Amino acid sequence: MRANKIQAIADNAYGTVLESGAVRFERLLPGPIERVWAYLVEGEKRATWFCGGDAEPRTGGKLDLFFMHSRITGERPPESARKMNDEGWLSGGTVTAFEPPHRFAFNWVGMGEPDSDIEFVLSQAGNKVRLVLTHRRLVTKDRMAMVSSGWHLHLGLLEDRLLGQPPRGFWSAHEALKAEYVERQRDVG
C-alpha cells in the first residue's frame, strides 16, 4: 500500500496538459503565503530556484528574467546549456497580473515564438500554500516537453528552498524528465 501512495504522490508532481499548448502544475508548499509570494516576485529569492531579475510590482510593469543555472545547481550542464549556465542569459516580459500575495502573471518574451504566458496563483490550503502554475502558448510538442520538464525541476528546487533542504539535482534529471514528458504528452492535441 505504501508503494502505491508514494507513486500517487510522485504522479501528482507531473504537469497536466490543459489544452493544446498549455500545461498546469500544482504544488503544496510550506507557508506562510507571503514567504512563497516573495520567492516568486523578489529577484534575489527567485534566482535561487528559477531565475533572477527585477519585476516592477504592478500590472504592466517590466520584468527581467536572468537565467544563470550555476546559481541553482552545482551540477555541470550539458554542452548545449554551458554558456547560459556559466555566463547567464537575459530575457524578459511584461507583468500581466500583480495581486499580492495571490496572483503573479507575466508574458515571457524571448523564449521562443510566439511569446508565452505564465501565471502563478497562491491560496491557503490548511497549513500549506497551494501553488498553481499555468504556462500557455507552447506551440510545439518539443517546446511543451522542454518547458514542462523545466518547470517540474524548478518547482522541486523551490520546494527545497522553502523547506531549507539542499537543492536536488537539475541537469542530472533534465534529459530523462524531458523524455518522460514527451512520452506523457504524445497523444495530446
Side-chain angles (χ1 to χ4, degrees), residues 77-138:
E79 191 59 40
S80 62
R82 194 150 285 159
K83 185 173 181 177
M84 183 269 309
N85 184 80
D86 298 342
E87 299 172 24
W89 176 71
L90 180 65
S91 65
T94 302
V95 175
T96 56
F98 196 87
E99 303 165 13
H102 299 286
R103 186 168 172 245
F104 177 54
F106 57 91
N107 172 261
W108 189 350
V109 177
M111 194 190 101
E113 291 295 329
D115 300 337
S116 59
D117 299 309
I118 293 88
E119 178 184 49
F120 294 94
V121 176
L122 301 178
S123 60
Q124 281 301 141
N127 64 349
K128 300 273 188 180
V129 176
R130 181 179 318 286
L131 178 146
V132 177
L133 162 67
T134 305
H135 194 142
R136 286 191 160 83
R137 294 200 296 155
L138 302 167

Side-chain angles (χ1 to χ4, degrees), residues 17-37:
V17 176
L18 298 178
E19 69 244 11
S20 181
V23 64
R24 176 184 181 268
F25 289 87
E26 187 173 324
R27 297 288 189 274
L28 285 175
L29 302 169
I33 196 168
E34 293 81 9
R35 181 170 176 244
V36 178
W37 175 259

Side-chain angles (χ1 to χ4, degrees), residues 1-11:
M1 184 65 171
R2 180 165 162 70
N4 289 342
K5 184 175 183 180
I6 291 170
Q7 184 60 44
I9 291 169
D11 285 345

Side-chain angles (χ1 to χ4, degrees), residues 59-81:
T59 300
K62 181 182 177 199
L63 175 69
D64 291 328
L65 299 170
F66 184 69
F67 289 84
M68 187 172 233
H69 281 48
S70 60
R71 292 179 177 178
I72 63 172
T73 181
E75 295 179 333
R76 289 301 297 165
E79 191 59 40
S80 62

Side-chain angles (χ1 to χ4, degrees), residues 20 141 185-189:
S20 181
K141 287 188 176 202
Q185 297 169 358
R186 184 168 19 114
D187 297 328
V188 176

